[in-house]
Structures are given as structure tokens and as C-alpha cells.
Amino acid sequence: RDLHSFPTRRSSDLPGVVTAAVLVDATVPEFYTDDEIARIVAAEQPQITALRNRPTTKADRQLLAVAADFVPVQTAYHRIDWPMTVPAVVIVSAKTPFETSPVDAQRWRAAQAAFAAAAPNRSLVTAAGSSHDVPLDRPDVVSQAIEQVVRP
């Protein structure tokens, strides 16, 4: 699982500063339903338990800290409304961060599509042939999306 893609700042925290966004296989609020949060927590629990039962490294402690706050952070994030005035290009990878879970992969794609469809100033692009590392696999798709929002 890819636990690094968690929300850090809302665009509404920066009024007048964020004029457009390119979301590259990003976590979107629509993904973190109560059911999905529970599925992820259950899937990660064995790893978290194992980390707690051994001497930890700095990286382990960081993962444990993220895990400790995961449910309340993602629950709050699910309730966030993206400002309708901020256009976005939503790039979704061909393979999702959930390659070993078809259910989670489908939910990831559906959340990306729902986020893009929620406003007329958003678009969805699938980066064909890409992993979750879209900028490495398909830099052309990312560049085109940036150009699209910079030169509307």
C-alpha cells in the first residue's frame, strides 16, 4: 500500500492563491468513505502490529504516527469540498496504488472519476501504461495537463 499520499493542505486554505490544480494520481476526498477507511485499516493492521512489536527505525516511527492519525484525518478529508472555482485536471494512473486489491483499485478509479465529474471545470485523464509513478512513467501527460491549466 502507498501511505504517502495523504492530504496536507486544502486549496480553500489559500484563497486567491490556488487558481488551478493538476492532481497526479492523487488522493481525492471521494475515495475515503467510511467503508474504504475500514478496509485500509484492516489490511494494514498486521504491518502496524509487527512494527509495534519490534525496535523501530525513524521510518517505522513515521509510519506508526501516520497510522495513528489515519482514521480521523481521512474521515475529515472525506468531508472536504474542493472549491468549485478552482479548475482541476485529474490524472489517474493505468495501474493504481492498489495493484493487489481489485476492489480498492476500482474504488480509486471511481473516486477519481467522481471528483472530476463534480464540476464542469474539471477533467479526467488516464495516463495509459503508467504505474502510480505517473511523472516518471508518463511525464508527457503531466506536462500537457500543466499546460492545459496554465493556458486555458
Side-chain angles (χ1 to χ4, degrees):
R1 284 270 177 342
D2 179 4
L3 292 179
H4 77 274
S5 299
F6 59 94
T8 57
R9 190 143 209 188
R10 299 177 313 175
S11 61
S12 59
D13 291 340
L14 304 168
V17 176
V18 177
T19 58
V22 174
L23 306 176
V24 182
D25 217 23
T27 300
V28 294
E30 286 77 356
F31 181 68
Y32 287 106
T33 62
D34 291 342
D35 185 48
E36 189 60 24
I37 291 169
R39 288 174 54 79
I40 291 171
V41 168
E44 297 300 329
Q45 195 56 52
Q47 178 186 6
I48 299 305
T49 300
L51 288 176
R52 287 186 181 131
N53 293 326
R54 69 173 200 215
T56 58
T57 65
K58 184 177 180 180
D60 294 340
R61 288 188 297 277
Q62 181 179 7
L63 182 57
L64 288 169
V66 169
D69 292 335
F70 185 80
V71 172
V73 168
Q74 300 311 329
T75 299
Y77 186 57
H78 180 65
R79 293 186 182 112
I80 289 176
D81 289 325
W82 184 273
M84 297 300 248
T85 58
V86 177
V89 176
V90 181
I91 301 172
V92 64
S93 60
K95 296 180 183 176
T96 72
F98 302 98
E99 291 183 39
T100 61
S101 173
V103 170
D104 293 326
Q106 179 54 37
R107 289 177 179 193
W108 181 264
R109 287 184 190 96
Q112 304 288 324
F115 179 84
N121 59 354
R122 299 180 195 165
S123 60
L124 179 67
V125 176
T126 300
S130 68
S131 69
H132 183 53
D133 292 323
V134 176
L136 294 174
D137 300 336
R138 294 296 311 274
D140 58 311
V141 172
V142 177
S143 295
Q144 289 169 3
I146 292 169
E147 287 180 26
Q148 181 181 336
V149 299
V150 170
R151 298 184 191 112

